[in-house]
Amino acid sequence: MKVEFKSKPKRNIFFERGRNSVWGFISIGIFIASLVIILISIDISHSNSGNAGYIVGSLGLTSLFSGISGVFIGIRGFKDEDKIYWPIYAGCIGNAVIVVFIISLYIIGYK
């Protein structure tokens, strides 16, 4: 008598069945745009020796609002079925990190 054990096929997050979620790639694009805005505001602040309050503040708010919208767009992507979810995870986590970073900067600057 021969006993055979069938194992489950290994799951790979990069080569799953289904298609990539468009909402995930939009969320990643918003994350990259927010990151570029933050880097530009750091460069402007450094070049003006810290005397660019309104410009840097407005760029920070722009980055904050785009990060919040990126999180909501990523959450919208989880509603799609039979999709590959790694772009959605990457976009949501990246935008959430941007939002927490900007909010913590405003809290630290307020004190």
Side-chain angles (χ1 to χ4, degrees):
M1 182 154 119
K2 198 174 194 181
V3 178
E4 293 182 25
F5 294 103
K6 293 185 179 180
S7 63
K8 291 182 180 178
K10 292 183 180 180
R11 290 187 65 200
N12 190 348
I13 63 170
F14 297 108
F15 298 107
E16 291 182 4
R17 288 184 335 210
R19 299 177 54 112
N20 286 321
S21 176
V22 174
W23 297 109
F25 287 113
I26 293 172
S27 181
I28 289 174
I30 291 174
F31 165 66
I32 291 171
S34 297
L35 194 62
V36 167
I37 290 171
I38 289 173
L39 293 175
I40 289 171
S41 66
I42 290 172
D43 185 47
I44 289 172
S45 178
H46 182 268
S47 66
N48 291 330
S49 301
N51 294 325
Y54 292 119
I55 298 170
V56 172
S58 63
L59 287 175
L61 282 175
T62 303
S63 177
L64 176 68
F65 291 139
S66 64
I68 290 171
S69 67
V71 169
F72 283 126
I73 286 173
I75 290 172
R76 162 66 176 90
F78 284 116
K79 294 180 182 177
D80 294 339
E81 294 183 7
D82 197 30
K83 297 287 183 181
I84 298 174
Y85 290 112
W86 72 265
I88 302 172
Y89 287 128
C92 281
I93 291 171
N95 284 312
V97 167
I98 294 273
V99 168
V100 168
F101 176 70
I102 296 294
I103 289 175
S104 66
L105 278 179
Y106 282 121
I107 289 173
I108 290 170
Y110 184 72
K111 289 185 179 181

